[in-house]
Structure formats: C-alpha cells, structure tokens
Amino acid sequence: MSRRRQGEAAVWAGLTLLAAAMATGALGYGVTKEGGQIGPGFLPFVAGVLLAVLAGTALAGTLRRTEPEEAAPARTESDEQGRTEPQRVRILWTVFAMLLGALLLVPVTGFLVAFGLLVFAVSAFVERRRPVPALTVSAVAVLAIYAIFVLFLGVPLPGGLLGIGGES
C-alpha cells in the first residue's frame, strides 16, 4: 500500500472513530425527552452515526482499491469542472477563510444572516453561480436552518446585535 493510501486510510479511520465517539457522547445528552420529543442529543447523535457510516464506507473503499500496475507519468488531473488539484486546494482554503469570516460575523449579524452570507459567497464567488440562483440557494438554506432549529427543534439561534432569528 502506498504512503498516500496509508495516509488516506488513516484519515478515514480517525474520522470514523471521532464520529463514533461523537454519537456515543450525544447519548449522554438524551436523544429523546419525556413524551417522545426530540432531545438535545438527537442531532449530534444522528450526525455522528451518519458521519461514522460515511467515513467507514470511504475507509473500506480506500482499503479495497487496488494499486496501479506501473507508475504512470505525473499528469495533472482535473475534476468535472476542469479544476486541477492546486485549484481545488486553493478553493478549500478560500471556503475555510469564508467560514471563519462568517463565524466572526455571528455576534454582530446573528447566525442566520452570517450563514446566509456564507452560502451566498460560496455559491457566487467560489462556485461562480449567477447572483439570482446564488441568492435563491442562500434563502432556501437560511429558511431550512430556521425551520429545523427554531421551529421544529425549538433551539434559539444566536441573534447577534440585529436580533434576527434568535436570541440577542
């Protein structure tokens, strides 16, 4: 097994273990409350289980994959959108920077506004979507988060100084 595949397998194994630990820890918060209502541990439990299953599947795929017969000459591979590996890495760091910016905005604008701006920025500037579809995706994402957390789960989101969508 190549060093790259060993590293990939180690990352997937670590993520699988971390997700399993997350799901196990969530049980301590209570997955359900009295009367069958969803408890505070429900979302982290479901997320942990799903992440463990997906990471475990990726680990199995990495371990089953066969090595190429002979070393092929180095070539630049691109994804479906024609982006090379260095471009994809640059995009990943750009999204991380945008996420950090959104997190810093939460105390001022509130979670929903910061999240909407993040989704719009990623859609418009990273994925290069036109403004109207980017705004539509952003609005739908914000409405979905509001419906799930505030309306369905009854979890108030940080409202920031603006007080939009949660506690101020």
Side-chain angles (χ1 to χ4, degrees):
M1 186 183 301
S2 69
R3 289 185 64 74
R4 180 180 173 139
R5 258 186 61 209
Q6 286 176 342
E8 189 178 330
V11 168
W12 288 124
L15 189 56
T16 302
L17 292 173
L18 183 64
M22 179 177 137
T24 303
L27 293 174
Y29 292 109
V31 176
T32 59
K33 294 193 273 185
E34 291 180 24
Q37 292 181 333
I38 292 176
F42 178 78
L43 187 62
F45 176 75
V46 171
V49 168
L50 288 174
L51 185 57
V53 168
L54 293 172
T57 302
L59 173 62
T62 299
L63 296 175
R64 281 194 309 254
R65 194 170 60 221
T66 59
E67 295 287 334
E69 299 264 335
E70 50 186 80
R75 68 174 200 244
T76 305
E77 292 186 25
S78 59
D79 63 7
E80 307 83 43
Q81 290 137 349
R83 295 183 288 212
T84 62
E85 183 69 21
Q87 288 172 322
R88 290 192 304 259
V89 170
R90 194 170 29 258
I91 288 170
L92 178 64
W93 285 111
T94 301
V95 172
F96 280 145
M98 289 177 165
L99 179 60
L100 177 61
L103 289 173
L104 293 174
L105 278 176
V106 169
V108 177
T109 64
F111 178 80
L112 291 174
V113 173
F115 178 72
L117 289 172
L118 173 66
V119 172
F120 176 77
V122 169
S123 184
F125 302 115
V126 175
E127 292 296 321
R128 296 189 176 112
R129 304 285 184 232
R130 290 184 296 206
V132 172
L135 279 171
T136 303
V137 167
S138 180
V140 168
V142 167
L143 288 173
I145 292 296
Y146 182 79
I148 291 168
F149 287 98
V150 177
L151 300 178
F152 181 65
L153 294 175
V155 176
L157 298 172
L161 296 175
L162 301 177
I164 298 173
E167 302 174 331
S168 32

